[in-house]
Amino acid sequence: MDRQLGQANSLETFSEFFVDSAATTAHLRTLHGEKEMDRWGTLVLAYKTLGVVFGGLVTSPLYVYPSMNLKSPTEEDYLGIFSIIFWTLTLIGVVKYASIALKADDQGEGGTFALYSLLCRHMNIGILSSKHASTNSRLSHSMDEVTKKQSKLGIFFESSIVARRVLLFVAILGMCMLIGDGILTPAISVLSAMEGLRAPFPSVSKSLVEALSATVLIVMFLLQKFGTSRVSFVFSPIMGMWTLTTPLVGIYSIIHHYPRIFKALSPHYIVHFFLRNGKEGWLYLGGTVLCITGSEALFADLGHFNRSSIQIAFLFTIYPSLVLTYAGQTAYLIKNPNDHRDGFYKFIPTAVYWPIFIVATSAAIVASQSLISATFSVIKQSVVLDYFPRVKVVHTSRSKEGEVYSPEVNYILMILCVAVILIFGDGNDIGNAFGVVVSLVMLITTILLTLVMIIIWRTHWGLVALYFCVFFVMEGVYVSAVCTKIHEGGWIPFAISFILALIMFGWFYGRQRKMEYELTHKITLDRLGMLLSDPSVQRVPGLCFFYTNIQDGLTPVLGHYIKNMKSLHKFTIFTTLQYSLVPKVAPHERIVIKKLGLKGVYGCVVHYGYADSLNLDGDDFVGQVTDSLQVHIQDCADGRPSSPVEIQEEISDLEQAKQAGVAHIRGKTRFYIGKSCSWFDRIMLAFYELLHNNCRSALPALGVPLPQRIEVGMLYEA
């Protein structure tokens, strides 16, 4: 009885590694990632954000007016449109994103999926993979207790499977729409800038403009491998010139054409606009919504920079620049009402046309960067949370965890962007598609932010109601307007999102089914003891590293291996590699060892940061683990009294096992789809197997020699 109790306690201790690692991660992150930057460093970082974060937003004047099919617009119409643009930028840009959303980060990451992850950390909603959830359980334990006591909404989500699935669907839709934004932003930005060639050179064909745009985009994507820091170093001066020159042209246009333009800041012009235009005014919102395009990147790119740098750059440069540029455009159009189809280049004075064209083209190229970087970030988040097939994620900075690059994702984006330009070359069609993406992503962010305010921040209900009513109504009206354009190109993001959502759901469903099987058929220490007590099972000489991801028990592959091989190495270390959100893990904190209650059976967690190299020589890895194991044995770290003789005997057995040979064993599992499976399971699990067979391995390369590698195949019955 005492032996069984000891084994049970050992297993509990083993599962506590992963909980303890959350505290370790938090401590390391405090040391490495949360140091306050000095003022100069923050200003430099704010300067760099110009080339990465705000490209899509600050270049929106290129295509807002051309995307609006205005019919005989009057002075009052233009004043109403400018008033709508101003208040959209102010409420959504300044209030929602810069002041509220940037505070809702998930360990420094932003975006809709980060909001979902943040909610999962504070609610037991059963959606996050158990690996991720339990890793963070201790960090959020006290908050969970408060949530359960005070938040009725949190209790509702925990108790309703339908609510949890709807929340997951909304988060996935937001992520897919953001990736769609990453495809459409480069296409419409570069294409709109290149259209400037056709004004001075009417002989330039539309096909040539499309070909030039595609070429520029290909070069842009090929530069991504150098990382956000290097790219922003090159791009920020370009965006700085754009941010400075366009408002200067705007000021000139205001003085020269319509000095009273700022009277339109009064909201009553919006009311008169809709009263005068009715349904047509509502449809025009499909174009005006593009003024806030790229605002989601302001939040989603948070992992590449920090909150202060983004706020400084937006409030003191981007926002004033946009207001003055749109004011200048509108002032010109009031005096030249029929030039709205080329509303940007027409308002540029002839004397500075070509310099502005060069800056505009360069800025449009840079504008692509904001959503490309955001796409890399959300893909990395979903891969870490096990919601997306594993792709290669390269950390391009040794000091910033969120600065990432994915080769596979980069080249897929490049192909899709070029395809959008060559197939849907009409800027109006792309603009319609763009409007759908922009408005839906904003609306989803509003919904998730409202949940964060209620469940996590405990914001006063009056402020929550004010926030939700203002932004949900405002963005809901925008969504209703752009949805009328679905047949005119608006279907493009829905098609992209459907394909991405299918991939994500198929992967998620397969991973959940696999996790359910492993938890149901996990091997307990009692069960392991019974297997080893079988006289036909031998403890063979040698040292074995048995890789597992299960935290509360041992992988069922172990039972499959013992039953068929009738053996287990005398020294077996169940090893889990655990990713930590820090650059590097200190050597003394890298390896955690626990004895699991059976002779020669240990648990080991290897922590590694995003800048740590796991491409170790196999012998180095074995040496590090065995050295830590010897220290653990000598220190009697499990609290069990041991005599010096027993300690020396165990160390001697370890050395003999190491000399006898080392083996690294990992499971290679597949689903067995039998006749009893439903048609839904047959389709989804077959799709999961297709994705699984074509994605990267979950086990990072450890430089293990081929003769030491053993893969144990096992079929999981669906």
Side-chain angles (χ1 to χ4, degrees), residues 519-666:
L519 292 176
T520 303
H521 298 83
K522 66 185 178 184
I523 303 296
T524 63
L525 284 178
D526 286 340
R527 175 64 177 157
L528 178 59
M530 291 175 60
L531 290 171
L532 295 179
S533 65
D534 186 340
S536 63
V537 177
Q538 303 296 317
R539 298 296 296 272
V540 298
L543 173 63
C544 170
F545 289 85
F546 212 114
Y547 294 93
T548 178
N549 287 324
I550 296 183
Q551 301 162 19
D552 187 18
L554 302 172
T555 173
V557 176
L558 172 64
H560 182 66
Y561 174 80
I562 293 176
K563 285 180 181 179
N564 288 277
M565 302 301 293
K566 298 296 183 183
S567 65
L568 188 68
H569 290 74
K570 286 187 176 179
F571 252 88
T572 300
I573 303 174
F574 293 99
T575 307
T576 298
L577 303 176
Q578 190 167 82
Y579 174 80
S580 301
L581 295 173
V582 294
K584 285 183 175 291
V585 177
H588 66 280
E589 295 173 325
R590 180 182 297 276
I591 298 172
V592 182
I593 302 284
K594 290 289 182 182
K595 187 174 177 62
L596 298 185
L598 293 172
K599 185 176 180 181
V601 179
Y602 290 85
C604 170
V605 178
V606 180
H607 300 278
Y608 65 99
Y610 58 85
D612 280 323
S613 173
L614 278 180
N615 295 310
L616 305 171
D617 182 86
D619 293 335
D620 289 343
F621 174 73
V622 172
Q624 290 179 20
V625 175
T626 53
D627 289 346
S628 298
L629 182 53
Q630 286 187 16
V631 172
H632 175 83
I633 294 171
Q634 291 171 347
D635 293 345
C636 301
D638 291 307
R640 299 185 181 89
S642 300
S643 66
V645 175
E646 291 176 336
I647 292 174
Q648 192 58 43
E649 181 182 349
E650 197 163 1
I651 292 176
S652 177
D653 290 343
L654 174 60
E655 288 296 330
Q656 291 177 11
K658 186 177 177 181
Q659 292 174 7
V662 179
H664 297 260
I665 301 177
R666 58 166 296 194

Side-chain angles (χ1 to χ4, degrees), residues 417-437:
C417 281
V418 172
V420 166
I421 284 182
L422 298 181
I423 298 174
F424 307 99
D426 188 348
N428 286 334
D429 283 349
I430 300 177
N432 292 335
F434 205 16
V436 172
V437 167

